[in-house]
């Protein structure tokens, strides 16, 4: 049984046409069809069936594909591990993370890691909470950085830091001159939120319920920067992290187009953590990056607890309040 035939079967079972797969593998379409037929003979069952103009997996094919996915993943990870043993300074880290972390946390962690491992390559993916867990389960990422524990039995999660959330209001809002506010004071206003499936959406709903009301959703978006723009336009309020240009105390920056208010009646914060598959042994490069991320954030939490302060507001990771 040839690995390339298994890769071709996987591609066709996932929706690619035989014509496209044959072109990608640089063989003729009849030769690929014969190879897939031989695979079915070896397995002893029909794996693919024609539905209209495309091939789709049969029930037996869907079962077989699960094992093919695991086999190919194990083989590819084995090749990566061997390559990194031969060249310890090389390797690839496949990392998926929340969109909101791409402006500060991920760049800082990657930059710090590459100071000691300059030849390691990164494959970066952005997704919502549900998509992040899928990256791990589908083996398209070694690690994910997410805002909560995915709560999946196959995934191990560890907290990196706690990120404050602020009530963002337009500059001309009735509360804009305040520094602190009860979330309950905006119970009758329109909230600008992320779409369902995003962790920040569920956190917003939970905090509002803790404050005694259900948020009146006026607008839904897919990016925190979009939420900021809608707040600045006076279309509502939002619970969001501080902007990268003012990570620790945004209420002290009156030049910002929106005001960020500290919450006093609920704990406005979200966990940020790193997760991996519990059953999978990480290749050397991802394991080194995981160790770096845990050590870096732990050291900064200890520094913050000891009362250390930074004056460089441009360094978002250094300035982030753990």
């Amino acid at each position: 049984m040839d690995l390339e035939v298994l890769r071709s079967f996987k591609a066709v079972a996932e929706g690619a046409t035989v014509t496209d797969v044959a072109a990608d593998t640089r063989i003729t379409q009849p030769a690929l069809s014969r190879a897939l037929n031989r695979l079915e003979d070896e397995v002893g069952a029909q794996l693919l069936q024609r539905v209209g103009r495309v091939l789709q997996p049969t029930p037996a094919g869907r079962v077989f594909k699960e094992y093919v996915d695991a086999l190919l993943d194990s083989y590819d990870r084995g090749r990566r591990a061997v390559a990194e043993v031969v060249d310890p300074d090389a390797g690839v880290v496949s990392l998926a993370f929340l969109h909101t972390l791409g402006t500060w946390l991920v760049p800082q962690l990657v930059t710090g890691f590459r100071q000691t491992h300059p030849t390691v390559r990164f494959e970066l993916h952005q997704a919502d909470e549900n998509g992040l867990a899928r990256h791990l389960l589908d083996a398209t990422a070694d690690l994910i950085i997410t805002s909560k524990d995915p709560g999946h039995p196959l995934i191990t999660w560890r907290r990196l830091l706690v990120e404050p959330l602020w009530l963002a209001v337009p500059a001309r809002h009735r509360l804009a001159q305040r520094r602190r506010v009860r979330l309950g004071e905006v119970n009758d206003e329109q909230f600008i939120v992320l779409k369902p499936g995003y962790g920040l959406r569920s956190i917003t709903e939970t905090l509002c319920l803790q404050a005694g009301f259900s948020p009146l959703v006026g607008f839904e978006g897919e990016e925190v920067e979009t939420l900021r723009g809608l707040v600045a336009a006076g279309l509502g309020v939002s619970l969001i992290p501080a902007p990268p240009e003012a990570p620790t105390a945004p209420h002290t920056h009156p030049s910002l187009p929106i005001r960020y208010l500290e919450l006093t009646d609920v704990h406005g914060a979200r966990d940020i953590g790193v997760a991996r598959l519990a059953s999978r042994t990480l290749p050397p490069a991802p394991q080194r990056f995981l160790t770096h991320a845990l050590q870096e954030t732990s050291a900064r939490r200890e520094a913050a607890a000891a009362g250390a302060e930074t004056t460089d507001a441009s360094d978002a990771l250094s300035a982030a309040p753990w």
Side-chain angles (χ1 to χ4, degrees):
M1 194 174 294
D2 191 295
L3 283 177
E4 290 308 313
V5 176
L6 293 179
R7 293 190 193 278
S8 297
F9 163 75
K10 172 182 169 70
V12 173
E14 291 176 348
T17 66
V18 172
T19 302
D20 289 341
V21 175
D24 290 341
T25 54
R26 298 183 179 180
I27 63 175
T28 65
Q29 182 176 336
L32 177 57
S33 296
R34 289 194 297 270
L36 293 174
N37 289 335
R38 288 196 300 271
L39 177 62
E40 291 181 324
D41 291 340
E42 291 184 45
V43 174
Q46 183 180 359
L47 302 176
L48 299 166
Q49 60 187 352
R50 184 164 295 280
V51 178
R53 302 179 62 182
V54 298
L55 291 177
Q56 293 185 357
T58 63
R62 287 193 292 271
V63 171
F64 184 62
K65 181 178 178 299
E66 294 180 11
Y67 292 90
V68 169
D69 290 345
L71 185 151
L72 293 176
D73 175 54
S74 180
Y75 175 75
D76 290 339
R77 287 189 293 110
R79 289 187 60 185
R80 284 176 57 187
V82 170
E84 291 176 20
V85 169
V86 174
D87 185 359
D89 293 326
V92 178
V93 177
S94 182
L95 177 67
F97 53 92
L98 286 175
H99 295 274
T100 55
L101 304 180
T103 59
W104 64 284
L105 179 60
V106 171
Q108 292 295 326
L109 289 177
V110 170
T111 298
F113 181 76
R114 296 200 67 189
Q115 289 177 357
T116 53
H117 302 88
T119 59
V120 170
R121 292 191 300 108
F122 279 82
E123 295 176 353
L124 302 177
H125 315 271
Q126 291 179 287
D128 60 18
E129 297 285 357
N130 296 330
L132 290 176
R134 196 74 258 158
H135 270 295
L136 279 185
L137 297 172
D138 290 345
T140 54
D142 301 308
L143 301 165
I144 62 173
I145 300 181
T146 180
S147 70
K148 63 179 181 179
D149 187 341
H152 194 286
L154 299 180
I155 295 176
T156 298
W157 181 89
R158 292 183 64 179
R159 181 183 290 106
L160 291 174
L161 56 97
V162 177
E163 182 181 37
L165 298 177
W166 307 76
L167 179 67
V169 302
R172 295 186 178 181
H173 191 273
R174 58 187 174 85
L175 300 174
Q177 302 307 312
R178 303 259 298 273
R179 294 187 60 174
R180 298 178 178 83
V181 65
R182 290 184 299 106
L183 184 58
E185 294 182 61
V186 291
N187 63 345
D188 58 348
E189 300 199 27
Q190 287 197 116
F191 274 74
I192 302 170
V193 297
L194 294 179
K195 291 181 177 180
Y198 288 81
L200 194 55
R201 170 65 175 267
S202 61
I203 292 173
T204 295
E205 292 173 341
T206 297
L207 291 177
C208 288
L209 288 176
Q210 291 176 2
F213 68 97
S214 295
L216 176 62
V217 176
F219 297 90
E220 295 179 330
E222 297 180 346
E223 295 277 355
V224 169
E225 290 309 311
T226 299
L227 306 191
R228 296 192 208 278
L230 294 175
V231 171
L235 298 177
V237 302
S238 188
L239 286 175
I240 51 180
E245 63 267 31
T248 55
H251 53 260
T252 65
H253 293 258
S255 61
L256 293 177
I258 56 182
R259 302 292 184 262
Y260 295 86
L261 311 178
E262 182 181 348
L263 298 173
T264 60
D265 55 341
V266 295
H267 181 56
R270 64 173 177 172
D271 287 329
I272 302 296
V274 60
R276 51 172 291 182
L277 282 183
S279 60
R280 175 177 296 168
T281 300
L282 288 173
Q287 181 60 57
R288 289 195 292 266
F289 180 76
L290 173 60
T291 301
H292 166 78
L294 292 170
Q295 291 177 344
E296 180 73 7
T297 53
S298 175
R300 296 184 184 279
R301 285 198 308 271
E302 292 175 1
E309 296 181 354
T310 179
T311 58
D312 184 3
S314 66
D315 184 347
L317 180 58
S318 297
W322 313 113

